[in-house]
Amino acid sequence: MSSPGPCALIDSLNMSRPLQLEPLLECLLRQYRGSVVVREEPQCVLRCPGCGGFLRDPVTVQCGHTYCWPCLRGERRKRCRLCKGDMGHPPRRTCVQLRQLADKCVPGKSWQHRDIAELLEAGEHQEALARIRSAIDTDANDLILRVYRAESHAALFEYGKAHEDLDYALSKQPNWPEVYFRKAKLLQETGNLYQSLRFYLQCLALDEEFTSARNEIEKILRDFLFPVPETVEGILKDLEIKPLPNLPLKPFVLGSDRKEMTNHLHTSLEQDAGTPKQEKSLINSGLQRTQSVHVLHCEEKTEEGLKRVASEPLLSSHENGMLLKRKLSLSDQDVNVCDDGRKKHLRHGETFVGGSSSLIADPSVLRKLIDGSDFECSLCIRLFYEPVTTPCGHTFCKKCLERCLDHTPQCPLCKQSLTEYLSRRTYNVTTLLEDLIKQYLPEELSERKRVHEEEKNELSDLTKNVPMFVCTMAYPTVPCPLHVFEPRYRLMIRRCMETGTKQFGMCISDPEKGFADYGCMLQIRNVHFLPDGRSVVDTIGGKRFRVLHRGMRDGYCTADIEYLTDTQVDEEELQQLRELHNAVYAQACRWFQNLRYRFRSQILHHFGSMPEREDNIQVAPSGPAWCWWLLAVLPVDPRYQLSVLSMRSLKDRLLKIQHILTYFSRDQSK
């Protein structure tokens, strides 16, 4: 049997990479999390959850949480750090309501970071540095400016200054994954792979959803574990001397080349201690790549193979685990580890951002600046209730926005298209605004809630101001599917669902009164919303009613109603009523069976099969269900059907149906 060629071994190596790297990375993270310092931040409403700084340029993402614009620049995070929800996609606009509040607190600085970022993206690094120096003079502790200055220095190949700014930012905000990522990226670009790997792990330990950091870690590990194809082909020429049938590939074990890796560890630690930087690049070392491949095929442990990676942690032994901890953990200057190996929580200082520190640390300062007009909905001119922020950055009460979207899928203020926003139907509450209102305007919020509950209770009454859908005939126990597209009925259906009643009245139109005097309540079983706001509503008939008083609410009709029930008969009349009932039921079955197959199939598809005959014909308040099913499928004028619907006597209703069936049966015989 011939041994596999070089190309086959390369393909095998490439296919094994995902299986090897995933458990290796998880093993590294497990050992690394035990030495990560997690500092508790003060709970402040105006603090960005990303960088911990003051929200000068606030952007509310899809999940409802708010970040400062610089933290979202570059799109390194796809999921929210707080709730792990989807943050949506760019372009993201500044939340106008929160920006006005930020300008009120720190006037004239809400666009400062964005102006500098535009210079960086345009490659104007010298101009950006000049702007940053001027801004730092007024607010020396603005960490975003430090990060931007590090980006400028790195672009100008001033790596030492870039590291100084990033280190300063991490000393003030040690729970900032983005800065760890920038630091690691800078180290990686300058060839310090071990140091870079350490900071990538720190970033991923703080935020497991940081996919960019995970990708870079896998890339570095792949460089360590797997050589470039040119080196592989050279080594495989030597390996072709020996046949390698069914030889399992060996995973690379950190610590197998202990002497060389320890030297690199000392180099990294010396750089942390401030010793002169040694010009030594690990990524360009062809010798290291060659040694890595030889480790993959070492003779001492040939029998283990890839199964070791999949079945147990790669560094499970005490000796290899200690070496990994030495190489991939923070130095003694950066981390304090508890004796039991758990994360140590440290209380962070109260002040954080220089010019805005009082706003973050002292709630009383912000209380003096806030008033009710800062949180007023531009649609209802009342205090925000369940505020939601659109992708264009404008904020409205949830109910107010939904009513506007019923009419047109555009922002009520700027007229930007909200078609995609409407199709998702995920109107998440802007958490920061809601927290600010709860904290600083509790009395106003309590009054707003009281008014909302009163309105909700009024809508929940099923005898007073009952919503009316003026469209078609509906009958008890009979399905009535509806296609809702008019804005007024969109609002009506939504209110029925929100109040929990899930009911509304159905009447046919009346040219004089607006809608008929009698109708049937419909119970909503399911609502399927279409992307453009329309909906398909599955309903079934309930109680019959008589209209007492007509009204109007927000464009749709309402009515005060009383419910109808059949009059009960005594035992003497009940026997005659049963005989009439059975005779009409048999006549109805004959009529239906004599229909043409096409008509019968359409009826079955739309209304379902005819209900069975009931033994107790007076148990239901509206009588036997089959009567209403038959009345719904009979091709008679709606006015005639309405007269039958309004009857309270089962006997009179059966006689009416018998008369109709007799008429149609004569036509069938012809």
Side-chain angles (χ1 to χ4, degrees), residues 68 97 99 168 258 412 497 547 574 622:
C68 63
Q97 207 76 28
R99 192 194 68 204
Y168 179 84
R258 190 168 309 176
M497 296 299 292
V547 175
L574 183 59
S622 295

Side-chain angles (χ1 to χ4, degrees), residues 281-301:
S281 176
L282 301 179
I283 194 170
N284 297 324
S285 175
L287 177 60
Q288 293 175 23
R289 299 182 184 277
T290 305
Q291 290 172 340
S292 299
V293 175
H294 280 299
V295 171
L296 288 173
H297 300 283
C298 63
E299 296 179 358
E300 296 178 359
K301 300 180 181 180

